[in-house]
């Protein structure tokens, strides 16, 4: 199983820089992936999703890339802003409706 | 419109006590999910309702945990004989229909068992 702990991976960037957050998933049968943003004291908030028949999807300032060969997802945030500071989770949905969340990444944007 | 709401926002209870956590999903959403989030980790699935019935309760850790959704809207997560290890944030999410992918999360209830 995946190791868990209290210490999240962290990413610190300067305001205006681009951010890249990575995620590895385990289930090769997963057909749908989602990135969530979670601010302190709040529930996860949907950012962007991608289906397994795609390798790239773009939203407003965000891009998700999917590499099924190595079971890897990334979230790219363009022109990162202080309001982007949060914990980011990837989640996968397999053959059922349940979401399985990965280990989060704490993004800190320095002004 | 209103999002998913959860009450209480914080709950402190003594070991061995019984607690109830409430979730009000988005109006019209037929699917409802409960997750538990421990410090520094991602949410973990507990139970899923489609309408009034629990379609999947495989994530409930033991028989001290139980959830209901009697009228297909509000849901209550019930924990008996609470233990310190139950301390976590309990998140509720709803989605428009079974299989509809986007789950909207509430702010969670922070449960602390002393």
């Amino acid at each position: 199983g995946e190791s868990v702990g209290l210490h999240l991976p962290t990413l610190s960037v300067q305001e205006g820089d681009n951010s890249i957050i990575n995620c590895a998933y385990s289930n090769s049968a997963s057909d749908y992936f989602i990135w969530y943003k979670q601010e302190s004291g709040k529930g996860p908030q949907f950012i962007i999703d991608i289906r397994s028949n795609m390798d790239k999807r773009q939203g407003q300032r965000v891009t998700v890339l999917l590499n099924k060969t190595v079971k890897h997802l990334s979230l790219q945030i363009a022109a990162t802003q202080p309001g982007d500071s949060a914990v980011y989770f990837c989640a996968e949905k397999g053959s059922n409706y349940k979401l399985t969340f990965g280990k989060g990444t704490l993004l800190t944007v320095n002004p | 419109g209103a999002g998913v709401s959860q009450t209480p926002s914080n709950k402190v209870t003594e070991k061995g006590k019984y607690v109830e956590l409430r979730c009000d999903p988005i109006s019209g959403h037929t699917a409802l999910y409960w997750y538990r989030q421990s410090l520094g980790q991602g949410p973990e699935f507990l139970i899923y309702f489609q309408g009034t019935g629990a379609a999947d309760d495989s994530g409930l850790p033991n028989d001290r945990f139980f959830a209901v959704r009697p009228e297909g809207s509000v849901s209550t997560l019930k924990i008996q004989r609470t233990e310190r290890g139950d301390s976590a944030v309990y998140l509720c999410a709803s989605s428009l229909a079974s299989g509809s992918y986007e789950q909207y999360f509430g702010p969670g209830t922070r449960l602390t068992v002393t």
Side-chain angles (χ1 to χ4, degrees):
Chain A
E2 183 180 333
S3 62
V4 294
L6 295 179
H7 300 287
L8 291 171
T10 60
L11 175 64
S12 184
V13 301
Q14 291 298 121
E15 182 177 358
D17 287 352
N18 296 334
S19 302
I20 299 176
I21 300 170
N22 296 303
C23 176
Y25 65 93
S26 55
N27 186 356
S28 57
S30 294
D31 60 4
Y32 180 69
F33 303 89
I34 311 166
W35 280 99
Y36 282 93
K37 172 186 181 183
Q38 188 173 27
E39 296 173 286
S40 181
K42 297 184 179 179
Q45 177 187 2
F46 175 93
I47 302 173
I48 191 168
D49 58 3
I50 189 167
R51 297 190 186 280
S52 58
N53 61 353
M54 304 170 70
D55 54 20
K56 180 179 180 179
R57 189 164 187 221
Q58 289 185 291
Q60 188 174 14
R61 281 202 307 121
V62 294
T63 300
V64 55
L65 300 177
L66 173 62
N67 185 332
K68 294 183 287 294
T69 302
V70 296
K71 293 189 284 188
H72 183 269
L73 273 170
S74 68
L75 176 70
Q76 300 177 1
I77 305 174
T80 316
Q81 302 168 359
D84 295 328
S85 294
V87 177
Y88 290 80
F89 292 97
C90 65
E92 60 184 290
K93 174 188 165 297
S95 58
N96 55 37
Y97 40 77
K98 290 182 284 192
L99 295 176
T100 300
F101 285 80
K103 189 179 298 184
T105 296
L106 174 62
L107 174 65
T108 301
V109 182
N110 302 307
Chain B
V4 177
S5 62
Q6 293 186 246
T7 55
S9 55
N10 281 283
K11 176 71 176 177
V12 181
T13 191
E14 292 180 348
K15 179 176 178 296
K17 299 291 188 182
Y18 168 83
V19 296
E20 291 189 351
L21 312 179
R22 176 187 168 108
C23 172
D24 282 82
I26 293 172
S27 178
H29 281 194
T30 62
L32 185 147
Y33 310 81
W34 283 98
Y35 293 84
R36 179 167 71 173
Q37 187 172 27
S38 299
L39 186 64
Q41 299 180 28
E44 294 179 314
F45 170 82
L46 293 176
I47 186 170
Y48 155 64
F49 287 90
Q50 176 54 42
T52 60
D56 185 342
D57 64 358
S58 63
L60 296 178
N62 52 60
D63 61 6
R64 296 187 296 105
F65 289 74
F66 189 72
V68 296
R69 194 185 185 200
E71 298 179 356
S73 178
V74 171
S75 177
T76 304
L77 178 66
K78 308 181 181 193
I79 310 174
Q80 298 177 323
R81 304 183 304 280
T82 51
E83 300 178 357
R84 292 193 181 89
D86 299 334
S87 297
V89 175
Y90 290 81
L91 293 163
C92 176
S94 69
S95 64
L96 188 59
S98 173
S100 175
Y101 298 134
E102 186 165 349
Q103 296 182 20
Y104 296 84
F105 283 82
T109 294
R110 180 175 297 279
L111 175 67
T112 303
V113 182
T114 62

